[in-house]
Amino acid sequence: MARILKAAATIFLKKGYAKTALSEIATAASVTKSLIYHHFGSKKELWLAVKESLFKSYCDEQMAMIEARPEPNAALMRDSLEGYFRFLQSRPEIPRLLGWIALEGGYSPGKQEKDLFARALEALEVGRKTGEVREDLDPAMILALFDAVTEYWMLGRPRFAQLAGLEPSPELDQRYLETMVKVFVVGVRGR
């Protein structure tokens, strides 16, 4: 099963979901298509399994971080943003996958992603009640912004760097991260 997931991830990341054929994955994994169907049921289920496997470590880390801090605060928001940023930075294939998902549409969240999203919403609601998160902000939109400011940077930094006359580099990533965290955390915090 691991061979299938690895081969599928490689091909999905290279070609996207729509242009990937199960026969290609079977060949790359040195298995039959029927074995893929046996383990995953369909191409869509294999796609979901690939996403789940790529995001597992991040989701586990974020869940542990939220569970360790029952009352969300600025430090949790900062640590969570930095955690996602570092995860995407260390795994350049993940932003590429997110780009394919955005381009092709037909997105379906996996269980761990749904669970993390629900838990983060709950934490933000608690933060609203304790005054740590602004009451006038919709928690779902806060999470949308969280994704946008981290994911887009990974996809758009070469464009930004060219516009600004800079070189994409770890230093540029660090400057962006520091600015993003300040803007996001200050903007979301309760007064």
Side-chain angles (χ1 to χ4, degrees), residues 101-123:
I101 291 168
L103 289 170
E104 292 182 336
Y107 170 75
S108 295
K111 180 184 178 339
Q112 68 185 5
E113 190 175 8
K114 287 179 190 175
D115 291 348
L116 179 57
F117 187 84
R119 187 60 189 97
L121 279 177
E122 289 172 16

Short mmCIF file of all heavy atoms in Angstrom, two decimals, residues 101-123:
data_model
loop_
_atom_site.label_atom_id
_atom_site.label_comp_id
_atom_site.label_asym_id
_atom_site.label_seq_id
_atom_site.Cartn_x
_atom_site.Cartn_y
_atom_site.Cartn_z
N ILE A 101 -5.14 21.27 -6.71
CA ILE A 101 -6.50 21.21 -6.19
C ILE A 101 -7.26 22.49 -6.56
O ILE A 101 -8.41 22.43 -7.01
CB ILE A 101 -6.50 20.98 -4.66
CG1 ILE A 101 -5.99 19.57 -4.33
CG2 ILE A 101 -7.87 21.21 -4.07
CD1 ILE A 101 -5.68 19.35 -2.86
N ALA A 102 -6.62 23.63 -6.40
CA ALA A 102 -7.27 24.90 -6.71
C ALA A 102 -7.59 25.01 -8.20
O ALA A 102 -8.66 25.51 -8.58
CB ALA A 102 -6.39 26.06 -6.27
N LEU A 103 -6.69 24.55 -9.04
CA LEU A 103 -6.90 24.65 -10.49
C LEU A 103 -7.96 23.69 -11.00
O LEU A 103 -8.72 24.02 -11.91
CB LEU A 103 -5.58 24.38 -11.23
CG LEU A 103 -4.53 25.47 -11.11
CD1 LEU A 103 -3.20 24.98 -11.68
CD2 LEU A 103 -4.99 26.74 -11.81
N GLU A 104 -8.00 22.49 -10.45
CA GLU A 104 -8.88 21.46 -10.98
C GLU A 104 -10.26 21.46 -10.36
O GLU A 104 -11.19 20.89 -10.91
CB GLU A 104 -8.23 20.08 -10.82
CG GLU A 104 -7.01 19.91 -11.69
CD GLU A 104 -6.38 18.55 -11.57
OE1 GLU A 104 -6.57 17.86 -10.55
OE2 GLU A 104 -5.69 18.16 -12.52
N GLY A 105 -10.41 22.06 -9.20
CA GLY A 105 -11.71 22.05 -8.54
C GLY A 105 -12.06 20.66 -8.04
O GLY A 105 -11.24 19.76 -8.02
N GLY A 106 -13.30 20.47 -7.64
CA GLY A 106 -13.74 19.17 -7.17
C GLY A 106 -13.09 18.74 -5.87
O GLY A 106 -12.90 17.56 -5.61
N TYR A 107 -12.74 19.71 -5.03
CA TYR A 107 -12.06 19.43 -3.77
C TYR A 107 -12.94 18.63 -2.81
O TYR A 107 -14.13 18.89 -2.69
CB TYR A 107 -11.66 20.75 -3.11
CG TYR A 107 -11.17 20.58 -1.71
CD1 TYR A 107 -9.91 20.07 -1.48
CD2 TYR A 107 -11.97 20.90 -0.64
CE1 TYR A 107 -9.46 19.90 -0.19
CE2 TYR A 107 -11.53 20.72 0.65
CZ TYR A 107 -10.28 20.22 0.86
OH TYR A 107 -9.83 20.02 2.14
N SER A 108 -12.35 17.66 -2.14
CA SER A 108 -13.03 16.89 -1.09
C SER A 108 -12.09 16.79 0.11
O SER A 108 -11.00 16.25 -0.01
CB SER A 108 -13.34 15.47 -1.57
OG SER A 108 -14.25 15.48 -2.62
N PRO A 109 -12.51 17.31 1.26
CA PRO A 109 -11.64 17.20 2.44
C PRO A 109 -11.64 15.78 2.99
O PRO A 109 -12.63 15.07 2.91
CB PRO A 109 -12.27 18.17 3.43
CG PRO A 109 -13.70 18.24 3.04
CD PRO A 109 -13.74 18.01 1.55
N GLY A 110 -10.51 15.40 3.55
CA GLY A 110 -10.40 14.11 4.22
C GLY A 110 -10.84 14.22 5.67
O GLY A 110 -11.07 15.32 6.19
N LYS A 111 -10.93 13.11 6.35
CA LYS A 111 -11.39 13.07 7.74
C LYS A 111 -10.50 13.90 8.66
O LYS A 111 -10.99 14.69 9.46
CB LYS A 111 -11.47 11.64 8.24
CG LYS A 111 -11.96 11.57 9.69
CD LYS A 111 -11.95 10.16 10.23
CE LYS A 111 -12.39 10.03 11.66
NZ LYS A 111 -12.35 11.15 12.54
N GLN A 112 -9.18 13.71 8.57
CA GLN A 112 -8.31 14.44 9.50
C GLN A 112 -8.38 15.95 9.25
O GLN A 112 -8.35 16.74 10.20
CB GLN A 112 -6.87 13.94 9.41
CG GLN A 112 -6.16 14.25 8.12
CD GLN A 112 -4.78 13.63 8.04
OE1 GLN A 112 -4.36 12.89 8.90
NE2 GLN A 112 -4.07 13.94 6.97
N GLU A 113 -8.55 16.36 8.00
CA GLU A 113 -8.69 17.78 7.70
C GLU A 113 -10.00 18.33 8.26
O GLU A 113 -10.03 19.42 8.84
CB GLU A 113 -8.62 17.97 6.19
CG GLU A 113 -8.50 19.41 5.77
CD GLU A 113 -8.32 19.58 4.27
OE1 GLU A 113 -8.43 18.60 3.51
OE2 GLU A 113 -8.10 20.72 3.87
N LYS A 114 -11.08 17.58 8.10
CA LYS A 114 -12.36 17.99 8.67
C LYS A 114 -12.27 18.09 10.20
O LYS A 114 -12.77 19.05 10.80
CB LYS A 114 -13.46 16.99 8.31
CG LYS A 114 -13.92 17.04 6.89
CD LYS A 114 -14.99 15.98 6.67
CE LYS A 114 -15.36 15.77 5.25
NZ LYS A 114 -16.31 14.67 5.06
N ASP A 115 -11.63 17.10 10.82
CA ASP A 115 -11.50 17.10 12.28
C ASP A 115 -10.68 18.30 12.76
O ASP A 115 -11.05 18.95 13.74
CB ASP A 115 -10.86 15.80 12.76
CG ASP A 115 -11.75 14.58 12.59
OD1 ASP A 115 -12.96 14.75 12.31
OD2 ASP A 115 -11.23 13.45 12.72
N LEU A 116 -9.57 18.57 12.08
CA LEU A 116 -8.73 19.71 12.47
C LEU A 116 -9.49 21.02 12.28
O LEU A 116 -9.45 21.89 13.15
CB LEU A 116 -7.42 19.71 11.67
CG LEU A 116 -6.47 20.86 11.97
CD1 LEU A 116 -6.09 20.91 13.46
CD2 LEU A 116 -5.23 20.77 11.10
N PHE A 117 -10.19 21.16 11.17
CA PHE A 117 -10.95 22.38 10.92
C PHE A 117 -12.01 22.58 12.00
O PHE A 117 -12.15 23.68 12.56
CB PHE A 117 -11.61 22.31 9.53
CG PHE A 117 -12.27 23.59 9.11
CD1 PHE A 117 -11.53 24.61 8.53
CD2 PHE A 117 -13.64 23.78 9.30
CE1 PHE A 117 -12.14 25.80 8.13
CE2 PHE A 117 -14.25 24.96 8.90
CZ PHE A 117 -13.51 25.97 8.32
N ALA A 118 -12.74 21.52 12.35
CA ALA A 118 -13.78 21.61 13.38
C ALA A 118 -13.17 21.98 14.73
O ALA A 118 -13.72 22.83 15.45
CB ALA A 118 -14.54 20.29 13.48
N ARG A 119 -12.04 21.37 15.05
CA ARG A 119 -11.40 21.66 16.34
C ARG A 119 -10.87 23.10 16.38
O ARG A 119 -10.97 23.78 17.40
CB ARG A 119 -10.26 20.66 16.60
CG ARG A 119 -9.65 20.76 17.96
CD ARG A 119 -10.69 20.49 19.06
NE ARG A 119 -10.15 20.80 20.35
CZ ARG A 119 -10.34 21.96 21.01
NH1 ARG A 119 -11.10 22.90 20.49
NH2 ARG A 119 -9.78 22.16 22.18
N ALA A 120 -10.32 23.57 15.26
CA ALA A 120 -9.83 24.96 15.21
C ALA A 120 -11.00 25.94 15.34
O ALA A 120 -10.87 26.97 16.02
CB ALA A 120 -9.06 25.18 13.91
N LEU A 121 -12.14 25.63 14.70
CA LEU A 121 -13.32 26.49 14.85
C LEU A 121 -13.76 26.56 16.31
O LEU A 121 -14.07 27.64 16.82
CB LEU A 121 -14.48 25.96 14.00
CG LEU A 121 -14.48 26.30 12.53
CD1 LEU A 121 -15.67 25.63 11.83
CD2 LEU A 121 -14.53 27.80 12.29
N GLU A 122 -13.79 25.40 16.96
CA GLU A 122 -14.16 25.38 18.39
C GLU A 122 -13.21 26.23 19.21
O GLU A 122 -13.65 27.00 20.07
CB GLU A 122 -14.11 23.94 18.92
CG GLU A 122 -15.18 23.03 18.43
CD GLU A 122 -14.94 21.58 18.86
OE1 GLU A 122 -14.12 21.33 19.77
OE2 GLU A 122 -15.57 20.69 18.25
N ALA A 123 -11.91 26.12 18.94
CA ALA A 123 -10.92 26.90 19.69
C ALA A 123 -11.11 28.39 19.46
O ALA A 123 -11.03 29.19 20.40
CB ALA A 123 -9.50 26.47 19.29
#
